[in-house]
Structure formats: structure tokens, C-alpha cells
Amino acid sequence: MRKIYLSKTEKALTYTLLCIPLALLTLGIYHGLMQTLYRSGMISQTSFAALEYYQGLTLHGVINALVLTTFFAVAFGHVCMRYYTGYKLNMTTAWISAGMMIAGTVLAAVMILSGNASVLYTFYAPMKAHPLHYIGNVLLITGSWVAFFGWIGMYRKWRREHKGERIHLAVVATMANFIMWFVCSIAVVYSLLFLLLPWSMGLTPTVNVPMTRTLFWFFGHALVYFWLLPVYLMYYVMLPTLAGGKLYSDNAGKFVFFLFLVFSIPVGTHHQFAEPTITQGVKYFQSILTYGVALPSFITAFTLAASLEYAAWRKGHRSKNPFSWMTKLPFFEKDRYLFSYLICGLIIFIIGGLTGMINASYVLSSLVHNTAFLPGHFHMTVAGPVFLGILGMSLYLLERLSGKEIRLKRINNAIPYLWTIGMFIFSAGLMVGGFRGEPRRTNMGISYMDPDSPLYRPDWVWTTGTTVIGGVILFAAAGLFFIVLLDLLFAKKSKESYLSFPTYDTVHKEKVIPFLNSFKPWIIIMLALIMVAYVPAILNVLEFTGREAPPYEPQNPNPIELYQPEAGTDVGDAETYKLDQNE
Amino acid sequence: MDKYEVKAMILTGITLAIFLVAILRSIFTYATGIPECIPYDESFTEPRVEKLDDNVYQIFALAQMWSFEPHEIRLPVGAEVDIYLTSKDVVHGLNIADLSLNMMAVPGGVNKETVTFKKPGVYKVVCHEYCGSGHQHMMGEIIVNYPNR
Ligand code: HEM
Ligand SMILES: [Cu+2]
Ligand SMILES: [Cu+2]
């Protein structure tokens, strides 16, 4: 394995980007456990320890699913670009980017903790958050763009100096992910800056709610892949070597990342199956396109299984049984903890991926949409492979860059297994509950799970109870992680500080295939598909939306009067707004 | 490409084809579970139940913070109902788990779905989208027992 040495400021940057979200994560994890307690009725209150349920749920979603994932994608992108191109990072863009992301996170966190943004991480209008919360989100997202702009320079330079050579799979993965991220988040940044911000400041009276939702989901589905692709990178580039084998095919890997680039965005309305203002035709079309995303997943399943089986054979596995190779992998080698983190994520993801197919299908979606099934499913993606990949890789990087060594090795290697067990119990509770109609995003402790309430639902008792058991195990696993992490940070430096990644060799010698060695054709296909999928959707929304909505606060069924029309301006909008209010 | 790779690709292709056929079939033979969108009109914000025929009803449901209007609806067994849904204020959800009826109430849009209440009983209508601090209390009921009440 090739070693490189990072400069002081490159190291400082990486520490900053890894450690800030991990510190915040303590809050996110704490409230994860609390949510299971509220939902099961063990806590039958609107708030606990000064944190209200929906305020805490907003915190949980924003910290775990937006802040942690975005910071990690950027940090990991930096080190991958640095390692696999061999060029120094552009520190100007890198620090500007980090500064924007940190400022954005601080703004959003302060707004949520002060109770001014209990709107959940999806900030659906017309529930209004404080304007600074919207600005915080914009800074977090655009900050990550700036890091990407720095990598474009490195990529171009590499291209110029290595004409005709094959790009490294890790570079393809990082760049493909951020191209997708950049394109999809333009929509949500537009919505935040030009629709929601002026409306929340009282500059415009009303906002087009279906439009903000459609723009959100243009971003929202690709967001899921943005979380996932850094971990896919680890699966393709690092897992085969960690297992002691080789990658089955490098071209297949590139094909997969390009397919994600193409298919991630134009399938967003499958999150809006149950909504008005988008016609059935558009929904059908995107539903079918959604299965396009199944293709890269199948290729991945095959490639990874083949690579791992190859590793088992190299280790001396000789059985005729087609499945026994699975037992020959290095599951419990305490010095190879990254393998454990990744393989556990992969095991959880098998179920997470299959349940995802349920959501994507039109008919089954009507059974589970917005029920507890949904968090049950996506904890097996974002809180499974993504989260474990982030934790494992953070430890791996911190260990190497600081020149320190993890001391609690056995505990560390047990964490992902504990997390997997907890996750299966927790998600089973949520998914079965979802099939029985438990709503998501609901403080059920004071209504459905309160035996004294007229709304009491005894059929949900054992499912929510199961999530508590799972939640406690997850919480314990996360607690152990923080102990291992702190212990590492306070250890003495015992080795040199360097960076290296366990990088694959391929089983076959493969030719350079031009269309798998360039982004251009894929970007063109992506833009074309987005047009075909989203122009009709946007036209639908414009046609079918009958009225815009004034802002509301979560505590009050009457709209807030923010907008003061100035004398001489058109008051047409304001009048209809008054009308609604009198109803 | 070796022969295993080719085999794997063929298998993948077949699996995907089966999925595709299954989706297309479910879409065209049972056009269920997909709300239609209806052009907006102020009259949809007046909650009411209208009887069109012996067993055919229209429910104009309005979701608001934090109740469904009309709050309690009584229907005969076997009633065929068109449900129109919109929201007065923020976004709400409408879920009747026993019917796997699943719709969103979005201000400015009108959602429509048709369902049949085949069995007698009390159907709980649960709001399953966060709609503010009273969200967990937002539930309505459809009682299906009339005329043998
Ligand atoms: C101790 C571990 C965890 C527990 C016990 C836990 C528990 C929960 C529960 C019960 C909900 C549903 C709340 C509701 O809908 O009312 C939820 C939502 C959610 N969780 Fe977790 N969680 C944990 C870790 C994570 C992690 C690691 C991530 C992401 C990396 C994550 C991401 C999310 C997201 C995105 C939501 C949806 C928020 C929303 O609907 O607005 N969770 N969690
Ligand atoms: Cu509601
Ligand atoms: Cu609600």
C-alpha cells in the first residue's frame, strides 16, 4: 500500500471535518433513543429534559442525516482526491467550504435548540422556520459545493497530465457523487433562498407549497444516494483488499457509479405518490425509472459477492457448498475492524435494499407511505451501511493521520456487530408497526400509546416495545463507539502520521473503455432524463396548484401575519390570504 | 468476461424483467392506490358528505390543525366512496390502515381516491404527516354499520 504524507493544514482540515459532526452526533443519538421511549409510551410527555419531541426529532434528522453525512462526504472526498490523484488539495476552497459548512451547521443547530425551527429536517412549507434556519441549510449545502469546485481543478489537471489513462475508480466515485449532489441541490437551494426565505421574512405573503415539495424531492431522493455513494466507494475500492481478495471488475464499478449519476435525480416524485398536483402519468413514468436504480444494485451485489468469494478461495476455502465461503471471511480479526464495519453495513443493507423496493413500487407504497415502516427501512440504509461506514472510516483516518493506535480493539471490533443486532430488532419493530398503521413522525406517547387516552391503540404496544429494545442496543453500541473514539484521541502518538488506503487489484486485466473513462456522455444523459422526468412534473404543479399558503407556526392553527403590503403595491394576494383566514 | 459473469448478467436481466412485468401489470390491471389529482376549487374546502346513489358517496374531507372535518362519518356497509382531500393550513396525511388508503393533504392541491368499505367496523383515520404540536392527536373515524345501527 502506497503511503502519502499530508501537510499540517490538510490534516487540520480533515480532523475538523470529521470531529465536529461526531461531537454533534452525541445529541443525535441521544434523541434517537428518546424517540423510541416516547413512541412506546414510556415517556408520556410533550418534552423531556428541555427538549420537545419534534424539536428533538428535527435535531435527530438534521444532525444524523444532513450534517454528519455531508461533512463526512466532503472530508472523505478530500482525502480520496488527495490520495488517488496524488495532487495537493486546494486549501483555499477547502477552508472556505469548511467555514461555510460549520457556520451553516451552527446557525441551524442554534435555531433548532432555541425552538425556532421545529419543522423536521425536510422543512415542509407552510410550516415556517426562522429565516436563519433556512440560511443555515443553504450554507451547509453550498459549502459542500465549494469543496467540490476545488476537486474539479485537481481532476482537470490529472486529465491533462495523464492523457488516455484510466481514471481511478475512487476518483470516478467521488466526482460522480458530487456532480449528482451539485445538480440535485440546486433545486433545494433555489427553493430555500428564493421561495422560503423571503416568505419567512414577510417579504412575500404566500408560498406555492406543492412547488417547494417537488423541488425538495428533486433533491431528496438523490440525497439518499449522496449518503450512500461514499460507502459504495469503500465497498468497491477497499473491501476486497480488506477481505484478502481482489475486485472482480473495475469497469463494472465505474458503470455502477455512472448509473447512479444518471438515475438518482429523475426518480424523485416516487416520494410523492400519495400527493395531489402531480398527475398519475408522471408518477407512473418515474416509478418505472426507479427500477433503473435497481440495475446498479444488482451489479453491485454480484461484483461484491464475487470479490468476497474470491478472497475466501485465496484463503484456502475449497468446499463444494456454494455458500460456505461466506464463513471464511475475516469477521473477527480485531486489527481489521474496518472490514467488520463494512461487512456489517452490507448485511444490513441487503434488507434495507429489498425494503426499498417496496417503497418504490406504486401499489405497495400506498400501504406503507409515511408509516413507521419508512424509518424502519431507511435506518437500514442510512443508519446501517452509511453510518457504519462513516464510523469505521473516521476511526481509520483518525488513527492514521494522528499516528495513534486504537487501544480498545476488541470492543471496537464488536461495535458493528452489536449495532447490526440492535438495528434488526429496532427496524423489525418499526416495519411491523408500519404495516399495522403506526404513523411516523409522531409523539405517540401522549396519544396512541397512552392507555388513558381515547386514541389508545393496544395493537401497537409490542411493536413500539420492540423498537425500545433495539434502540437501547443501538444506543449502547454508539456509546461504546464514543468511548473508543475518546480513548483514541487521548492516546499517545506512537507511530508516524501518514495516509494510505487498502486499494484493490482487479481479478482480470481490463481494457480502458472510453465511455467508462469520461463523465461527459453520462452528464448529458442525466440532464436529458431530468428534463423528460421533471418538466412535466413542474408543469403539473403549476397547473394544479389552486392557492398559495401563508406561513404557520407549529403551535398555532392560525397563520402568522408577517407580510405587510406597502401602499401602492398590488394587494390582490393579500386579500385572498385574508379570505382563507376567515374560514 | 468469463462464463459466470455472463450467467450472472442473464440472471439479473431476467429478475429485472420480472419486476418490470409485475409493475406494469399492477399499474394497468389494478389501477389502485394512486391518488388522482383534481383541479383546485374553493368548494373543496367545505367539509361535507354527499350521497349520490344508494351506496355511492362523496366525502369532501378537509384536514386542518388538528382534526379531520367532517370529524365522524357514518356509512353503510359496502359503500363506494370517492374521497376528495385538501388542507386548510399545513401539510397533513390521511391514512386508513385497514383499507391501505394513503393520501397527503397539501394546501392548494386536491387529492382524490376511490375506496369501498366492504366490512362493518370503525375505521380509524390517522394523520401521518407532522403538522405541528398537536399532530399526535389528529385522528378521525369512519363508522361503517349503518343502516343496522
Ligand atoms: C441509537 C440509534 C438510533 C435510534 C434509536 C433512532 C431512532 C429513531 C426513531 C424512533 C425515529 C422515528 C421517529 C418518528 O418518526 O417519530 C427516527 C427517525 C430518523 N432517524 Fe434515527 N435513530 C437512531 C440512529 C440514527 C442514525 C445513525 C441516523 C442517520 C445516520 C438516523 C436517521 C434518522 C432519520 C433521517 C429519521 C427521520 C426523521 C424525520 O422523520 O424527520 N437515526 N430515528
Ligand atoms: Cu395533521
Ligand atoms: Cu399530522
Side-chain angles (χ1 to χ4, degrees):
Chain A
M1 279 189 279
R2 188 169 53 91
K3 282 185 185 178
I4 62 166
Y5 299 92
L6 297 192
S7 70
K8 253 213 174 86
T9 140
E10 283 172 332
K11 273 194 263 179
L13 176 79
T14 316
Y15 290 141
T16 313
L17 289 175
L18 291 179
C19 291
I20 288 181
L22 286 177
L24 282 172
L25 184 66
T26 49
L27 265 177
I29 293 288
Y30 159 75
H31 209 267
L33 177 63
M34 296 310 284
Q35 278 151 215
T36 65
L37 298 179
Y38 282 103
R39 286 180 61 88
S40 68
M42 289 186 190
I43 299 180
S44 187
Q45 293 165 14
T46 49
S47 65
F48 184 86
L51 209 56
E52 197 261 339
Y53 183 83
Y54 299 106
Q55 185 186 17
L57 182 55
T58 310
L59 208 58
H60 183 78
V62 170
I63 288 179
N64 295 9
L66 294 178
V67 175
L68 175 72
T69 47
T70 308
F71 271 71
F72 180 80
V74 170
F76 189 54
H78 278 316
V79 286
C80 281
M81 292 302 288
R82 174 75 184 83
Y83 186 77
Y84 290 106
T85 63
Y87 298 136
K88 290 233 148 33
L89 290 177
N90 178 338
M91 291 316 289
T92 324
T93 50
W95 279 118
I96 293 176
S97 141
M100 288 169 71
M101 287 165 62
I102 293 169
T105 304
V106 169
L107 276 183
V110 169
M111 286 303 121
I112 298 170
L113 286 171
S114 63
N116 284 310
S118 298
V119 294
L120 308 191
Y121 83 108
T122 43
F123 49 81
Y124 289 147
M127 191 101 71
K128 185 195 73 78
H130 195 283
L132 289 178
H133 184 68
Y134 297 129
I135 295 181
N137 275 296
V138 168
L139 281 174
L140 174 64
I141 295 170
T142 49
S144 69
W145 293 356
V146 176
F148 166 58
F149 297 154
W151 305 336
I152 295 178
M154 298 166 78
Y155 173 77
R156 286 249 171 87
K157 182 166 168 212
W158 191 92
R159 263 282 135 99
R160 272 197 308 278
E161 293 178 6
H162 299 80
K163 284 229 158 57
E165 286 177 39
R166 65 188 313 137
I167 333 170
H168 198 281
L169 180 54
V171 175
V172 172
T174 307
M175 296 294 287
N177 195 21
F178 273 80
I179 294 172
M180 174 192 89
W181 172 244
F182 176 64
V183 173
C184 78
S185 51
I186 290 174
V188 79
V189 167
Y190 169 80
S191 168
L192 282 164
L193 274 187
F194 297 103
L195 302 179
L196 296 174
L197 186 62
W199 166 80
S200 70
M201 298 194 326
L203 301 176
T204 51
T206 54
V207 72
N208 182 330
V209 175
M211 180 61 85
T212 59
R213 291 175 72 80
T214 306
L215 291 175
F216 183 85
W217 283 114
F218 183 94
F219 157 84
H221 189 73
L223 171 68
V224 174
Y225 293 113
F226 175 69
W227 299 335
L228 201 57
L229 291 194
V231 185
Y232 261 55
L233 190 168
M234 295 177 212
Y235 287 161
Y236 272 96
V237 174
M238 297 163 196
L239 187 62
T241 310
L242 284 171
K246 292 180 175 180
L247 178 64
Y248 203 73
S249 163
D250 158 283
N251 283 337
K254 286 179 183 153
F255 188 47
V256 163
F257 286 106
F258 286 129
L259 284 179
F260 276 120
L261 177 61
V262 167
F263 281 120
S264 297
I265 300 174
V267 298
T269 58
H270 81 239
H271 290 261
Q272 296 176 289
F273 280 166
E275 277 179 43
T277 72
I278 295 180
T279 52
Q280 290 178 326
V282 172
K283 293 176 184 170
Y284 284 139
F285 175 69
Q286 297 207 14
S287 171
I288 290 170
L289 215 54
T290 302
Y291 281 81
V293 192
L295 183 60
S297 301
F298 277 120
I299 301 178
T300 303
F302 170 75
T303 312
L304 293 184
S307 308
L308 292 175
E309 182 169 357
Y310 183 85
W313 281 86
R314 288 231 304 199
K315 280 204 152 69
H317 164 75
R318 287 292 173 273
S319 164
K320 279 254 158 21
N321 179 331
F323 295 105
S324 64
W325 60 267
M326 290 181 186
T327 59
K328 291 288 185 302
L329 298 172
F331 292 109
F332 301 110
E333 286 181 24
K334 61 184 172 10
D335 289 316
R336 240 191 269 199
Y337 63 87
L338 189 54
F339 178 81
S340 305
Y341 276 90
L342 293 183
I343 199 80
C344 283
L346 206 55
I347 293 168
I348 299 176
F349 193 47
I350 294 172
I351 315 284
L354 288 176
T355 51
M357 307 275 267
I358 294 188
N359 303 337
S361 109
Y362 223 27
V363 178
L364 290 174
S365 158
S366 72
L367 192 63
V368 299
H369 172 76
N370 262 1
T371 65
F373 182 90
L374 260 282
H377 151 68
F378 65 65
H379 278 87
M380 288 196 290
T381 58
V382 67
V386 174
F387 186 65
L388 288 176
I390 291 178
L391 295 193
M393 181 51 70
S394 297
L395 287 178
Y396 179 94
L397 288 172
L398 291 172
E399 223 185 352
R400 306 246 162 351
L401 293 182
S402 65
K404 297 174 181 176
E405 206 175 338
I406 290 178
R407 292 179 294 191
L408 306 171
K409 289 187 185 187
R410 279 185 204 286
I411 296 182
N412 184 24
N413 204 38
I415 290 168
Y417 295 99
L418 195 58
W419 183 268
T420 308
I421 295 168
M423 189 51 76
F424 280 139
I425 299 174
F426 168 77
S427 295
L430 282 176
M431 291 198 299
V432 175
F435 280 128
R436 297 170 164 212
E438 274 176 35
R440 70 182 282 202
R441 305 182 139 180
T442 306
N443 181 1
M444 304 204 300
I446 47 177
S447 56
Y448 303 115
M449 285 296 108
D450 177 4
D452 299 331
S453 160
L455 303 186
Y456 185 55
R457 294 290 295 264
D459 50 330
W460 294 344
V461 168
W462 77 264
T463 45
T464 52
T466 308
T467 60
V468 174
I469 299 173
V472 169
I473 300 176
L474 291 173
F475 185 78
L480 289 176
F481 170 79
F482 285 114
I483 293 174
V484 170
L485 177 70
L486 279 181
D487 185 67
L488 169 69
L489 294 179
F490 288 107
K492 277 217 176 63
K493 185 169 188 272
S494 57
K495 293 181 299 192
E496 60 168 356
S497 141
Y498 65 96
L499 176 66
S500 83
F501 285 121
T503 307
Y504 69 88
D505 287 321
T506 48
V507 174
H508 311 279
K509 278 263 159 303
E510 290 177 303
K511 285 201 286 283
V512 181
I513 303 179
F515 80 95
L516 289 178
N517 212 36
S518 158
F519 284 98
K520 273 197 201 98
W522 302 98
I523 294 178
I524 293 170
I525 301 175
M526 169 182 75
L527 293 177
L529 266 185
I530 290 177
M531 287 297 165
V532 175
Y534 263 98
V535 169
I538 299 278
L539 290 177
N540 276 179
V541 168
L542 291 174
E543 181 185 341
F544 284 99
T545 304
R547 113 189 135 81
E548 299 202 333
Y552 287 83
E553 261 163 357
Q555 303 80 9
N556 188 348
N558 295 314
I560 327 168
E561 294 194 37
L562 279 175
Y563 177 65
Q564 306 289 346
E566 283 162 39
T569 54
D570 180 16
V571 288
D573 277 349
E575 268 166 13
T576 43
Y577 155 55
K578 286 267 159 53
L579 258 180
D580 292 335
Q581 217 188 332
N582 294 340
E583 261 181 25
Chain B
M1 272 198 266
D2 58 28
K3 65 178 194 297
Y4 290 107
E5 223 168 341
V6 175
K7 266 192 208 161
M9 282 187 166
I10 293 173
L11 264 177
T12 313
I14 294 174
T15 322
L16 276 178
I18 294 174
F19 272 133
L20 196 67
V21 172
I23 312 171
L24 289 176
R25 198 180 131 74
S26 71
I27 288 176
F28 291 111
T29 31
Y30 329 92
T32 54
I34 318 108
E36 280 171 58
C37 68
I38 306 289
Y40 187 81
D41 181 322
E42 278 297 321
S43 70
F44 286 105
T45 58
E46 275 162 43
R48 62 198 189 274
V49 181
E50 280 176 10
K51 185 171 177 177
L52 295 187
D53 203 344
D54 241 8
N55 243 359
V56 185
Y57 291 78
Q58 285 182 323
I59 298 179
F60 293 86
L62 181 68
Q64 61 182 34
M65 293 157 100
W66 294 280
S67 66
F68 290 104
E69 300 298 330
H71 191 66
E72 197 187 285
I73 298 173
R74 287 175 184 269
L75 294 171
V77 176
E80 245 184 74
V81 183
D82 287 336
I83 300 183
Y84 296 89
L85 175 69
T86 189
S87 164
K88 181 178 157 191
D89 35 54
V90 297
V91 178
H92 301 270
L94 184 156
N95 187 23
I96 304 181
D98 296 333
L99 288 178
S100 54
L101 176 72
N102 208 320
M103 304 163 85
M104 300 300 289
V106 180
V110 180
N111 221 349
K112 178 195 169 193
E113 185 136 31
T114 306
V115 284
T116 309
F117 291 84
K118 294 198 183 101
K119 288 190 209 133
V122 179
Y123 291 77
K124 310 259 187 205
V125 184
V126 174
C127 174
H128 63 7
E129 180 58 272
Y130 169 62
C131 54
S133 52
H135 161 60
Q136 64 280 342
H137 293 295
M138 183 160 165
M139 194 189 82
E141 275 178 357
I142 299 181
I143 300 169
V144 181
N145 63 350
Y146 163 88
N148 23 343
R149 189 174 337 167

